Amino acid sequence: EEIGNESYLAEDHSIRCDSSDERRFYKIYASMMVLIFPFGIPVWVFYFLWRKRTVLKEPRTVAEMNFLYKSYKAEYFYFETIEMVRKLLQTSVIVFIAKKGTSLQAGISIELTFLVSLLVFGLKPYLNESDTRLAVIAQVLLSFAACSTLAQPDSKSIVIIYSFLLATIVLVSILTAEIFVNHQEAGIAEPEFESNNIIEDAENEMSINQIEKNSQNNDVTSGTRTEVA
């Protein structure tokens, strides 16, 4: 907690935070980990997906990296990295942009959900249309949650806002269940089931190749022994 120009522990103002060597160490350590994990992993994933973009359907690549792009159309194989950045912005970065619970933070959150909804609805990167609808609905719910923070705790409007938000969540849950049931009744296979078959085929092919390679090595060894004899 900031008091004047000094920083103190919120639970005990007798403890200063700025003068601790341990705090300075962990501040540097935390900064490094932020660069490595929240920002580094999306960059690393995008790099490997881009490097393998021409061989994404090959058995070895499918077995190793299929979980990163199996839910998306071929031209949007990289969209999982966009999802990572989106989650980072909406859950972590926004905390540092404005103070918690302020109208500025809520406004930025609403704008982010609007932009993400436009991106998903415009590109439609998912193989299943139902995934696209659910992604947009999720952003709408996040915008409702952000709007609810604008209401004052002593205001009667907060009851209305939270009631509306709860009703929306219930309706979305019912809609999601209905989509899933209709999807199953139509006999449409989910992409993950298809991808599982692809992975099994890839593993079988790799096993066959390994057996053939071992057989060739055995033939060469047998031939060498015959020549020596």
Side-chain angles (χ1 to χ4, degrees), residues 55-91:
V55 293
L56 291 178
K57 294 184 179 181
E58 291 188 1
R60 182 177 294 275
T61 305
V62 170
E64 293 176 352
M65 305 176 61
N66 186 58
F67 69 96
L68 292 172
Y69 58 86
K70 66 179 180 179
S71 299
Y72 306 103
K73 297 176 183 177
E75 61 269 29
Y76 299 114
F77 64 92
Y78 56 86
F79 204 81
E80 184 63 26
T81 58
I82 295 179
E83 275 292 290
M84 292 180 182
V85 174
R86 193 254 323 157
K87 294 174 184 177
L88 180 64
L89 290 174
Q90 291 185 319
T91 60

Side-chain angles (χ1 to χ4, degrees), residues 24-57:
R24 283 192 288 269
F25 168 77
Y26 280 110
K27 191 174 182 179
I28 296 173
Y29 176 77
S31 300
M32 293 174 58
M33 292 301 104
V34 165
L35 292 176
I36 292 174
F37 286 98
F39 294 102
I41 289 179
V43 173
W44 178 81
V45 170
F46 180 81
Y47 167 75
F48 275 94
L49 285 175
W50 184 262
R51 195 180 68 170
K52 299 274 189 178
R53 66 188 185 279
T54 58
V55 293
L56 291 178
K57 294 184 179 181

Side-chain angles (χ1 to χ4, degrees), residues 12 21 34 37 41 48 87 123 131 165-166 170 173 182 223:
D12 187 355
D21 292 335
V34 165
F37 286 98
I41 289 179
F48 275 94
K87 294 174 184 177
L123 296 180
D131 290 339
L165 180 61
L166 179 61
V170 172
S173 301
N182 293 336

Side-chain angles (χ1 to χ4, degrees), residues 73-135:
K73 297 176 183 177
E75 61 269 29
Y76 299 114
F77 64 92
Y78 56 86
F79 204 81
E80 184 63 26
T81 58
I82 295 179
E83 275 292 290
M84 292 180 182
V85 174
R86 193 254 323 157
K87 294 174 184 177
L88 180 64
L89 290 174
Q90 291 185 319
T91 60
S92 301
V93 175
I94 192 172
V95 176
F96 300 97
I97 296 177
K99 291 184 178 181
K100 180 181 178 180
T102 60
S103 58
L104 176 60
Q105 189 181 67
I108 294 174
S109 179
I110 294 171
E111 290 177 1
L112 282 175
T113 57
F114 178 72
L115 293 175
V116 172
S117 299
L118 287 180
L119 179 66
V120 173
F121 191 75
L123 296 180
K124 295 183 178 179
Y126 296 97
L127 285 173
N128 272 341
E129 184 66 24
S130 59
D131 290 339
T132 300
R133 290 195 295 268
L134 290 177

